[in-house]
Amino acid sequence: MTHSPHAVSPESPSGRRLSLLTLAALGVVYGDIGTSPLYTMKEAFGASHGLLPDAVNVYGVLSLVTWSILLVVVAKYLVFILQADNNGEGGVLAMLALLLQDTSQRIGPRFRGVLILLGVFGTALLYGDGIITPAISVLGAVEGIDIVTPTLSGYVVEITLVILVALFAAQRFGTAKVGRAFGPLTLLWFLVIGSLGLASIIDTPQVLNALNPLHGFRFLLHHGAGGFAALGAVFLSVTGAEALYADMGHFGKVPIRRAFFAVVLPALLLNYFGQGALLLRNPAAVSNPFYLLAPSWFLVPLLIIATMAAIVASQALISGAFSLARQSIQLGYLPRMTIVQTSQEEYGQIYIPQINFALMIGTVLIVLGFKSSAALGAAYGIAVTGTMAITTLLFAAVARTRWNWPLWQVLGLAAFFFVVDFTFLGANVIKIADGGWVPLALAAALVLLMTTWKRGRNALQQLLQRASLPLDLMLDELGRRPAHRVPGTAVFLTSDSKGAPVVLLHHLKHNKALHQQVVLLSITSSNVPAVPREERVSVEPLEHGFWRVQARYGFMESPDVPALLVQCAEHGIVARPMETSYYLGHERVIPTGPTKMAGWRKRLFVLMARNAQSAAQFFQLPSNRVVEMGAQIEF
């Protein structure tokens, strides 16, 4: 099998560093899939499916859970999808950016458009996942109160909301300090659930018969439509697999694979089989097989550990949403937002207040609307199955266009994974009326926002380019009629790297003077996670003290203009901080112009533009050195 070529071969960790990365990966990558035993078996035998917890059904469900984990998590994600990294980064947007790097004509414009739309939709579904995961994980853990102290069972929703609001409120302090505890905490969780399962299996060892995949097939054949519907609950056992790929950039492939085979897989299977063994001994335990595995004296500690594990799972998804938002901003699908770096050492640890607030409101509404993990199962399944199917399609495109796999190989592999993906998708689609519509509606709204912003920005840039003047014409004019020059440096930020920016023309028209040194700076985002420092800037000296500087940033980076100017000193641009002024265009967009876009979308774009973070903050410009010049544009 052909392996993916790497532009950069990532440093392979070993020894103590590998062990630390593996432990850290446990907390961040596997928190979500690790909390699935809280609700998977309970949901499979829930009232909505009408399955009796007898031996045939228990063997059937356990067999389906086991083989789902092996096919989806192991075969699809750990073996294949992890190969499709973009310079070490993973996730739907990173894979889309990898495809967009392809400059050959193998991807036609129409297919390219379809891929972009799919990538954006997959990203939107992941935001939905970021709202639903905290809700279902914490609800699933807190529901153990019904068994620990039935007197508090009426307050499950209230307790869940308190925990979630506290979690979102704590985001602004960063996860660096708490993050160190995530790995050990999750390791404790896996050891506990594995041990509880093992004790139960020892009591009823015949449950291991369920390892035979024939039990799963017989179950589906015997129950027909009912068995197919139960697959939606079985799928809950693999939710969180998409996090393996999304978090690859933080830990690398080796620690992620190692953590799964050494800890996660044994613990999950032991716990699921332990719950199955309990149901064989005591069918009445179906009300909450996870908590009823534990002896009565261990219920309170288990409730505390489960709640902590659910918080860790939620944190991983929240951090993932911040990272996804930064990628979306850099690739031009979302307006500029405040990005706060919460750790000096870890570049990936960021906090975005607007995203945090939106996630909190969404999660609170979901908890209030659904009120239980069982009711949330349908909504959760749709969000994740959609992302997984899109990932398969993008992977097939990468394998064919980037790695030149033979067509039969791509089609064979994609067809196999599509059968798995669409079987689960079908089992979840029948629950659209039961709440599955929530992530779909959320994703559709996000796709609308993201595509509106992308189209609007492109149209606005074209308008600004038309309004600009060819730079050589302006320089010729300056040669003939020199402007008055003042000491210092002027930096004009422009999205057009060729013409004279509109803001420069306005400045000349109104002030009739120019600084001694004029830098025309354009910043572009690349389809790679990070751009090496030596490839960051290209500097071109022009006539009359003008310089053209082009800077590139990756989609995992945040631009820093003052730091760029320091780097430009190596190329001959000497800009003293207290003698440098930054000029920005402040366009007031009016939605009445000739741009080919529906009127309501124009108004939506204008609303998004007004609420975007200021360019001065986004590019980290010193606030007392910024001059903004207004312009009114009919859009």
Side-chain angles (χ1 to χ4, degrees):
M1 180 123 335
T2 325
H3 281 270
S4 55
H6 294 290
V8 183
S9 71
E11 180 193 353
S12 295
S14 57
R16 186 166 179 272
R17 180 169 150 72
L18 177 59
S19 302
L20 286 172
L21 277 173
T22 305
L23 186 63
L26 262 184
V28 175
V29 180
Y30 293 111
D32 188 356
I33 200 169
T35 50
S36 298
L38 283 167
Y39 41 78
T40 300
M41 294 294 279
K42 187 169 107 175
E43 172 63 7
F45 290 100
S48 60
H49 299 125
L51 291 178
L52 291 170
D54 57 24
V56 174
N57 289 343
V58 168
Y59 286 167
V61 169
L62 277 179
S63 175
L64 289 170
V65 165
T66 304
W67 288 95
S68 298
I69 292 172
L70 292 177
L71 286 176
V72 175
V73 185
V74 178
K76 179 177 170 180
Y77 275 90
L78 290 175
V79 175
F80 289 103
I81 301 292
L82 283 194
Q83 289 187 44
D85 66 303
N86 186 340
N87 286 21
E89 270 310 318
V92 174
L93 269 184
M95 201 193 282
L96 177 64
L98 183 67
L99 280 168
L100 297 181
Q101 288 173 21
D102 187 62
T103 47
S104 68
Q105 298 307 305
R106 296 178 68 171
I107 301 177
R110 187 168 292 177
F111 186 46
R112 192 181 176 94
V114 170
L115 288 176
I116 288 172
L117 196 61
L118 279 171
V120 170
F121 191 67
T123 303
L125 282 170
L126 277 172
Y127 283 119
D129 196 3
I131 288 173
I132 298 169
T133 296
I136 195 169
S137 300
V138 178
L139 268 174
V142 175
E143 279 163 1
I145 281 181
D146 295 356
I147 289 154
V148 180
T149 50
T151 47
L152 285 174
S153 61
Y155 298 100
V156 167
V157 170
E158 289 82 354
I159 294 168
T160 299
L161 288 175
V162 168
I163 290 170
L164 287 170
V165 170
L167 175 65
F168 283 107
Q171 291 304 309
R172 59 200 175 94
F173 302 114
T175 53
K177 295 181 181 71
V178 199
R180 293 194 190 104
F182 282 2
L185 234 170
T186 315
L187 179 60
L188 174 66
W189 165 253
F190 281 121
L191 291 174
V192 166
I193 66 169
S195 306
L196 290 173
L198 181 61
S200 179
I201 293 168
I202 289 167
D203 283 350
T204 316
Q206 63 266 36
V207 74
L208 294 173
N209 287 329
L211 285 168
N212 185 342
L214 289 175
H215 286 292
F217 285 117
R218 285 194 202 117
F219 172 84
L220 291 174
L221 290 172
H222 178 66
H223 287 288
F228 186 67
L231 270 179
V234 167
F235 181 73
L236 294 173
S237 65
V238 294
T239 52
E242 71 286 3
L244 313 188
Y245 183 48
D247 290 318
M248 177 164 61
H250 294 293
F251 305 102
K253 297 169 196 179
V254 177
I256 286 177
R257 287 180 176 139
R258 194 177 180 186
F260 186 78
F261 290 114
V263 179
V264 181
L265 183 63
L268 287 179
L269 291 183
L270 284 171
N271 192 265
Y272 283 125
F273 276 78
Q275 290 186 46
L278 171 67
L279 293 177
L280 292 177
R281 290 195 303 275
N282 175 17
V286 76
S287 60
N288 199 327
F290 177 81
Y291 277 105
L292 292 170
L293 263 184
S296 54
W297 60 267
F298 191 59
L299 281 172
V300 173
L302 182 60
L303 178 70
I304 293 165
I305 295 168
T307 306
M308 302 283 267
I311 289 169
V312 171
S314 307
Q315 179 59 58
L317 263 291
I318 295 166
S319 297
F322 293 156
S323 178
L324 206 57
R326 173 159 67 184
Q327 292 179 36
S328 305
I329 292 165
Q330 288 294 79
L331 292 169
Y333 289 103
L334 283 179
R336 291 185 299 263
M337 295 182 205
T338 309
I339 298 175
V340 181
Q341 196 74 35
T342 58
S343 164
Q344 295 306 310
E345 296 82 41
E346 286 296 319
Y347 191 77
Q349 289 187 359
I350 54 171
Y351 164 65
I352 304 179
Q354 297 96 318
I355 296 289
N356 191 55
F357 185 71
L359 288 178
M360 182 176 78
I361 296 296
T363 306
V364 166
L365 290 176
I366 287 235
V367 171
L368 289 172
F370 286 90
K371 294 187 171 62
S372 75
S373 62
L376 251 175
Y380 194 28
I382 283 271
V384 183
T385 44
T387 304
M388 286 187 174
I390 287 168
T391 303
T392 300
L393 197 104
L394 293 178
F395 176 80
V398 167
R400 182 74 183 129
T401 61
R402 302 285 296 171
W403 307 338
N404 299 317
W405 281 16
L407 191 60
W408 65 267
Q409 206 172 347
V410 174
L411 290 178
L413 195 66
F416 175 69
F417 287 136
F418 268 134
V419 167
V420 177
D421 289 339
F422 281 104
T423 305
F424 281 129
L425 192 57
N428 279 291
V429 160
I430 53 181
K431 299 178 183 174
I432 280 186
D434 300 332
W437 61 271
V438 172
L440 292 178
L442 201 70
L446 276 165
V447 166
L448 179 68
L449 289 172
M450 291 167 82
T451 51
T452 299
W453 183 255
K454 185 77 169 172
R455 277 188 62 187
R457 283 303 303 169
N458 288 346
L460 190 61
Q461 268 176 329
Q462 283 170 8
L463 286 172
L464 288 170
Q465 274 172 6
R466 280 185 219 136
S468 69
L469 191 70
L471 192 58
D472 48 358
L473 275 182
M474 199 199 86
L475 291 173
D476 287 349
E477 185 65 19
L478 273 178
R480 282 197 300 275
R481 293 194 308 190
H484 178 66
R485 306 301 281 250
V486 295
T489 302
V491 178
F492 290 88
L493 271 81
T494 170
S495 52
D496 179 12
S497 59
K498 305 226 169 20
V502 176
V503 65
L504 170 60
L505 302 177
H506 277 275
H507 170 67
L508 254 178
K509 184 169 131 188
H510 292 290
N511 297 327
K512 312 278 192 296
L514 278 175
H515 285 72
Q516 213 71 50
Q517 186 171 241
V518 178
V519 176
L520 305 179
L521 172 62
S522 60
I523 294 175
T524 53
S525 182
S526 298
N527 288 323
V528 292
V531 174
R533 188 181 184 278
E534 59 275 12
E535 294 172 25
R536 172 87 65 217
V537 292
S538 70
V539 176
E540 182 190 350
L542 305 166
E543 302 171 284
H544 313 303
F546 275 68
W547 299 80
R548 192 203 304 280
V549 177
Q550 287 174 284
R552 291 167 59 235
Y553 281 89
F555 57 75
M556 295 295 285
E557 299 179 294
S558 298
D560 182 345
V561 170
L564 267 182
L565 283 184
V566 171
Q567 195 176 338
C568 287
E570 299 163 17
H571 302 272
I573 299 175
V574 180
R576 294 184 180 86
M578 295 313 293
E579 291 177 16
T580 303
S581 300
Y582 299 91
Y583 288 83
L584 298 172
H586 189 82
E587 303 96 18
R588 184 163 176 264
V589 186
I590 299 170
T592 53
T595 305
K596 286 180 182 166
M597 207 170 173
W600 62 270
R601 278 191 99 171
K602 285 184 183 180
R603 287 189 289 278
L604 178 61
F605 174 75
V606 169
L607 182 70
M608 292 173 81
R610 281 185 192 149
N611 286 290
Q613 184 199 25
S614 80
Q617 283 175 291
F618 186 75
F619 292 114
Q620 302 181 47
L621 306 178
S623 54
N624 59 342
R625 308 295 311 167
V626 174
V627 180
E628 291 201 51
M629 305 198 80
Q632 192 163 293
I633 294 174
E634 288 207 350
F635 174 69

